[in-house]
Amino acid sequence: MTDASDVQPTKKRWAIAFILFLAVLSAFFDRISVAVLFTNTDFQNAMGTGFNPTLLGLLMTSFVFAYGCSGVLLSFVGDIYGLRRSLAIGTACWGVLMALMGGAGSFTAMLTLRVLLGIAEGPQFSITNSLVKRWFPRREQARANSIWMVGSPLGSAIGFPLMIYLETVYGWRTAFILLAALNLAVILPLVLFVLRDGPAEVAPKPVAQAAPQSSYLSQVGLFCRDWRFWMLVIFNSAALIYLWGLNSWLPSYLVRERGFDPRQTSFYSFLPFFMMFLGEVLAATLSDRLGRRAIVCFVGLFMAGLSMYAVSVVADAQTAALLIAVSAFFWGAALPPLFALSLQILPPRAIAAGVGMFNGIGNIIGALSPLVMGALIASTGAFSAGLMVLVGATLLGSLAMLPLVRRY
């Protein structure tokens, strides 16, 4: 069989990359949707929680934990059932689950649906990477990956103000229904009628059901004994503690701690993730030119933690909001070099398994962030205690890059 990197590129490949971007964007809307509702009284009353930071944080933690476990354990579903079919089934599940969340009448129901959403979205990362590998020559795969990867920060940058607008104007239940419609009426048809597993001249190799699991387990041993891999795991786990903590508590922090009006909250919820996007773009270019990935990773995550610490000590609300954006910029700068660094460290035959492993472990650990922050906020009555989780994680996690700086 001809490898995808050897085939003649087709014009359709960039349309494929754009569909993958839209799918990631929509999925991120779903992921952060409940975070905006942490300050919504109607939502709190419907769930029977009131403003209980621990329980509200659990809604985000339950999703991220299920998402991380699913990413590790179900990463092979695309190989077994086909990439387009697997993504279509996943997208349909996202839409149905979001619609059911719009009708949820209790905290237990919402928590269960969030867990199911995490399981359904978990394989998206591996499916997307596999589609890029099949559609794009090696020389274009970094650019193709960058197209869908920016769906993550833009998903938060657009998703927070969008969700604030929808729940303010139409109510939180209608907001969930509209997000469900985005998945079912826009993303699902694109996946079904435009997306394909690969170009016509690249026929995916049939795979027996047991083969992907066996291959996956054999590849794990290639990198699990490499201490450099565990430095990537520590660094990525710290980065995801920051990401999920920020995604969960940013709107509530701006409203309850800093006294912003919801309209101002829309802008200041958008700004950090737009800056995160800029950080990703600039750091990708810088690390390519320098050829030194580890130092860019270290500086990015360390400065993200330092800036977040400054947020907790400044008195002015707008200054604090701007410092959050600065912190997010540095966080964004730390991530593209990390994935480039993984390509240098992981064995060539185990790159997909290795990336899936350190991303899955990172999400499982990062899942604790919303819950721990919520518990600290509840016990101390101050959001600054919750911010210290982000500060501590990023400062300590950045140190994992220091042993790699001299060589990489």
Side-chain angles (χ1 to χ4, degrees):
M1 184 186 74
T2 304
D3 185 77
S5 60
D6 299 322
V7 302
Q8 185 68 27
T10 64
K11 292 182 179 179
K12 188 178 180 179
R13 69 193 187 282
W14 297 110
I16 299 298
F18 183 67
I19 292 172
L20 297 177
F21 161 76
L22 291 178
V24 171
L25 190 73
S26 179
F28 233 86
F29 290 168
D30 300 343
R31 295 171 195 179
I32 58 92
S33 56
V34 298
V36 173
L37 301 178
F38 286 1
T39 57
N40 185 298
T41 304
D42 290 339
F43 176 77
Q44 294 169 11
N45 291 338
M47 296 300 102
T49 61
F51 182 70
N52 185 322
T54 304
L55 291 180
L56 294 172
L58 184 59
L59 289 176
M60 186 64 83
T61 288
S62 62
F63 164 82
V64 182
F65 185 82
Y67 173 78
C69 292
S70 177
V72 173
L73 300 176
L74 301 181
S75 60
F76 53 82
V77 294
D79 293 325
I80 297 176
Y81 300 108
L83 300 174
R84 179 178 70 94
R85 182 184 300 175
S86 297
L87 188 58
I89 292 172
T91 304
C93 290
W94 309 344
V96 171
L97 289 168
M98 291 303 294
L100 291 173
M101 287 183 203
S106 69
F107 177 82
T108 302
M110 182 62 75
L111 184 67
T112 302
L113 292 168
R114 291 287 293 176
V115 170
L116 294 175
L117 181 66
I119 295 171
E121 289 194 359
Q124 185 187 28
F125 190 89
S126 61
I127 291 171
T128 302
N129 273 283
S130 297
L131 284 165
V132 168
K133 185 176 181 180
R134 289 185 182 180
W135 275 96
F136 289 85
R138 282 195 189 95
R139 66 181 182 274
E140 294 180 347
Q141 287 176 3
R143 278 177 287 168
N145 274 320
S146 70
I147 291 174
W148 68 263
M149 282 184 70
V150 299
S152 173
L154 289 182
S156 295
I158 299 170
F160 275 124
L162 174 65
M163 192 64 185
I164 290 171
Y165 172 79
L166 291 176
E167 60 99 358
T168 302
V169 175
Y170 301 105
W172 70 270
R173 294 189 184 277
T174 302
F176 276 105
I177 299 299
L178 292 174
L179 292 182
L182 175 62
N183 285 310
L184 296 175
V186 179
I187 308 301
L188 182 58
L190 287 173
V191 172
L192 286 174
F193 300 118
V194 182
L195 192 68
R196 292 293 179 267
D197 280 8
E201 57 268 42
V202 180
K205 186 177 181 180
V207 183
Q209 182 164 346
Q213 299 180 38
S214 175
S215 174
Y216 180 83
L217 293 174
S218 65
Q219 290 174 14
V220 168
L222 294 176
F223 53 78
C224 278
R225 293 184 294 272
D226 189 340
W227 66 270
R228 298 172 301 171
F229 169 75
W230 294 106
M231 295 300 101
L232 299 180
V233 170
I234 293 170
F235 185 91
N236 191 53
S237 298
L240 290 172
I241 287 172
Y242 178 102
L243 177 66
W244 293 118
L246 187 67
N247 270 301
S248 300
W249 290 107
L250 177 61
S252 297
Y253 172 78
L254 294 173
V255 172
R256 298 185 71 92
E257 183 80 0
R258 293 296 183 172
F260 281 100
D261 180 86
R263 296 172 190 173
Q264 293 174 296
T265 304
S266 295
F267 173 74
Y268 285 116
S269 295
F270 159 84
L271 186 61
F273 297 100
F274 177 73
M275 294 297 291
M276 193 179 286
F277 160 71
L278 292 182
E280 289 186 359
V281 173
L282 293 176
T285 304
L286 176 63
S287 66
D288 279 343
R289 289 186 177 180
L290 293 177
R292 310 292 293 185
R293 317 291 188 185
I295 189 64
V296 179
C297 287
F298 168 77
V299 171
L301 201 60
F302 185 85
M303 291 302 298
L306 205 60
S307 303
M308 188 58 72
Y309 176 76
V311 171
S312 67
V313 297
V314 298
D316 182 67
Q318 288 194 333
T319 302
L322 293 174
L323 282 170
I324 292 173
V326 171
S327 177
F329 171 85
F330 282 116
W331 184 94
L335 265 292
L338 175 67
F339 283 91
L341 185 59
S342 71
L343 298 180
Q344 294 178 260
I345 291 175
L346 293 169
R349 289 184 298 141
I351 287 176
V355 172
M357 181 69 76
F358 85 72
N359 188 62
I361 293 173
N363 275 296
I364 291 170
I365 295 174
L368 299 174
S369 178
L371 179 60
V372 172
M373 289 180 68
L376 287 172
I377 293 167
S379 62
T380 64
F383 275 81
S384 57
L387 293 182
M388 289 303 104
V389 174
L390 310 186
V391 174
T394 48
L395 294 181
L396 292 174
S398 66
L399 299 179
M401 280 294 120
L402 292 181
L404 302 174
V405 165
R406 181 173 295 180
R407 184 173 177 183
Y408 301 100

